[in-house]
């Protein structure tokens, strides 16, 4: 009987792990409205986000035209010039320090406590992911608030995500317009080609 219980317990552990690992898609394309409240105004813009596990992220802001790309080795943030023909600004950094894909990488366990965050279920399909010291060091955020569509806890049914960066009481809110699941993006999606006249600086 003990042997049978151990087999049952082991199978349930595998089942539970499988459920957790399916929360975050291997790759997805997301269209969001980004919102950041400042002292007197609220900044809004439409953004395109492409993610592929692990360490791959592409981000484009439709208002500022800023492009952010990171992969396993490098991070690129390009701000185009206000006037066409002038030089844009390109910041290059080390992926291990500046890649925001770590925020999504950390969500692989789903809505279960883990070494990166503790999960608190609230009302109205809302969850708080409170990051541990390990998670804060890895991602740079203290808390992530997620609101799901009623009756669902699936990633594609996220209504909004609010990211609380370290020492910043005003969250960065992403309201979903559409999430499209992909198996894999083309190999050049997370590569960046430097514009000819870009001014380069190192991320600090």
């Amino acid at each position: 009987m003990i042997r049978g219980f151990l087999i049952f317990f082991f199978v349930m552990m595998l089942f539970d792990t499988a459920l957790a690992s399916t929360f975050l898609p291997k790759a997805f394309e997301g269209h969001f409205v980004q919102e950041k409240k400042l002292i007197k105004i609220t900044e809004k813009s439409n953004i395109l986000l492409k993610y592929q596990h692990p360490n791959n992220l592409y981000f484009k802001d439709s208002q500022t035209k800023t492009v952010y790309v990171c992969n396993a080795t490098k991070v690129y943030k390009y701000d185009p010039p206000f006037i066409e023909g002038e030089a844009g600004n390109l910041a290059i950094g080390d992926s291990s320090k500046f890649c925001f894909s770590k925020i999504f990488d950390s969500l692989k366990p789903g809505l279960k406590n883990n070494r990166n965050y503790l999960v608190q279920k609230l009302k109205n399909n809302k969850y708080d992911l409170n990051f541990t010291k390990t998670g804060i060091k890895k991602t740079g955020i203290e808390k992530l608030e997620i609101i799901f569509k009623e009756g669902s806890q699936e990633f594609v049914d996220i209504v909004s995500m609010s990211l609380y960066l370290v020492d910043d009481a005003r969250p960065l809110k992403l309201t979903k317009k559409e999430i499209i699941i992909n198996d894999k993006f083309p190999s050049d999606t997370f590569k960046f080609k430097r514009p000819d006249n870009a001014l380069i600086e190192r991320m600090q």
Side-chain angles (χ1 to χ4, degrees):
M1 181 176 291
I2 294 176
R3 182 170 178 269
F5 173 77
L6 289 175
I7 292 174
F8 173 77
F9 180 72
F10 180 68
V11 170
M12 290 304 294
M13 284 182 64
L14 290 177
F15 180 70
D16 189 54
T17 301
L19 285 177
S21 65
T22 58
F23 175 77
L24 184 74
K26 172 71 176 177
F28 71 87
E29 177 179 316
H31 299 260
F32 299 89
V33 175
Q34 177 179 268
E35 182 178 337
K36 177 69 174 179
K37 292 183 178 180
L38 304 179
I39 296 176
K40 295 184 178 181
I41 63 171
T42 297
E43 291 185 344
K44 286 187 177 182
S45 60
N46 292 312
I47 66 166
L48 167 64
L49 190 153
K50 296 179 182 180
Y51 167 82
Q52 183 171 302
H53 182 84
N55 304 321
N56 295 293
L57 187 68
Y58 172 94
F59 171 103
K60 185 172 183 178
D61 188 311
S62 65
Q63 182 174 338
T64 64
K65 307 302 180 184
T66 295
V67 174
Y68 171 95
V69 180
C70 76
N71 51 50
T73 58
K74 294 292 183 182
V75 176
Y76 305 90
K77 179 178 176 291
Y78 179 66
D79 295 306
F82 290 109
I83 301 175
E84 187 175 351
E86 293 188 353
N89 294 301
L90 175 61
I92 303 175
D94 187 338
S95 181
S96 64
K97 296 180 180 179
F98 302 104
C99 188
F100 292 145
S101 72
K102 292 180 176 61
I103 295 174
F104 290 103
D105 291 343
S106 71
L107 296 181
K108 190 174 181 181
L111 300 177
K112 295 184 178 295
N113 294 338
N114 57 83
R115 67 192 301 266
N116 289 317
Y117 55 81
L118 302 177
V119 180
Q120 181 181 9
K121 183 179 181 180
L122 305 174
K123 295 180 180 180
N124 301 321
N125 302 300
K126 180 179 177 181
Y127 290 80
D128 275 0
L129 277 54
N130 299 292
F131 280 70
T132 62
K133 289 183 178 179
T134 298
I136 291 173
K137 184 177 180 180
K138 182 181 296 185
T139 66
I141 65 174
E142 293 183 340
K143 184 172 71 173
L144 176 62
E145 294 179 352
I146 303 178
I147 298 177
F148 292 91
K149 184 175 71 176
E150 186 176 357
S152 178
Q153 297 176 351
E154 299 290 330
F155 184 83
V156 292
D157 289 327
I158 284 175
V159 174
S160 67
M161 297 181 288
S162 295
L163 292 76
Y164 288 80
L165 303 177
V166 175
D167 298 325
D168 190 348
R170 299 185 181 91
L172 177 68
K173 183 178 181 181
L174 299 177
T175 301
K176 184 196 76 174
K177 297 173 68 177
E178 183 180 22
I179 291 179
I180 303 168
I181 305 301
N182 289 291
D183 292 328
K184 190 176 182 180
F185 286 102
S187 59
D188 62 348
T189 302
F190 306 103
K191 296 178 181 179
F192 186 84
K193 183 179 179 181
R194 173 196 170 191
D196 292 334
N197 59 347
L199 301 175
I200 298 177
E201 62 178 320
R202 299 297 302 179
M203 291 183 180
Q204 300 295 328

